[in-house]
Amino acid sequence: MTSEEKRLIADCRVMIIGASDFIDYVKAELYRSGFNSINIVPGNDVHTEIGPVDMVAEYAGEACTHVKGNAAIPIIYPFDFVDGGSAIVVMPGDDNELHGKANARLWAVEYMAGYCAFWNMEGCDWLQSALPKIREGKTSDAAQRTAAHICARIAANIAVGREVKHFPRFYLCKNLE
């Protein structure tokens, strides 16, 4: 990473919305990646307005009910899929299919499993086998750390102006541990 990229990351302002240890993992990974200005907002604060931030990382395991209006900032949704982690990036101008979903985590895993099956993607078998666990509401520290790592890498790429996959595409990785 160049010194200019490190400066861009350090100067980037990130807001994390959510409540759980998962957000703590995301925050830790963002700090490790070089972000200095991270604002944490509790998940039950549904009247959150976007302040002076460059992007939002929102835990979307439960309902996504935060008020964002038409904020022109990227939103990263990290997911714990028990056997792996994932993230969906919604860029300004994208349809935000996740906004207002009662169970965004379940919607996302079913969407991604269907996408992988339709396109016959390799390396997604673990996602199909994780579906019953996710439907039961199980979580995994390893998957949360994996998703947090994915989230931080995406945020760093956005901060330095690199191209990132965004909805309807997604990031998906089997647990790193």
Side-chain angles (χ1 to χ4, degrees), residues 2-148:
T2 68
S3 59
E4 176 61 13
E5 288 173 332
K6 289 178 184 177
R7 185 196 62 75
L8 288 169
I9 290 169
D11 290 346
C12 188
R13 297 159 302 174
V14 179
M15 178 181 284
I16 303 172
I17 302 173
S20 74
D21 292 337
F22 193 9
I23 291 306
D24 290 337
Y25 290 138
V26 173
K27 179 177 142 185
E29 284 292 331
L30 287 169
Y31 277 126
R32 246 189 299 282
S33 296
F35 290 91
N36 294 326
S37 181
I38 301 172
N39 184 20
I40 309 296
V41 179
N44 56 1
D45 185 0
V46 296
H47 300 294
T48 300
E49 291 188 24
I50 298 300
V53 296
D54 298 319
M55 73 185 84
V56 171
E58 179 176 359
Y59 172 60
E62 301 300 325
C64 294
T65 57
H66 298 84
V67 178
K68 293 179 189 64
N70 293 323
I73 58 174
I75 301 170
I76 305 168
Y77 295 97
F79 296 99
D80 160 4
F81 289 158
V82 184
D83 296 332
S86 180
I88 293 177
V89 178
V90 178
M91 297 298 278
D94 288 349
D95 287 336
N96 191 341
E97 299 274 331
L98 290 165
H99 186 73
K101 294 282 184 200
N103 190 337
R105 179 182 182 226
L106 183 58
W107 179 90
V109 73
E110 288 175 347
Y111 167 76
M112 291 179 199
Y115 189 100
C116 288
F118 181 82
W119 293 106
N120 199 24
M121 294 173 63
E122 292 185 27
C124 294
D125 297 341
W126 66 268
L127 188 59
Q128 281 291 343
S129 63
L131 267 168
K133 297 178 227 174
I134 294 165
R135 287 183 179 127
E136 292 172 15
K138 291 184 180 177
T139 61
S140 159
D141 282 346
Q144 291 173 358
R145 287 190 299 274
T146 300

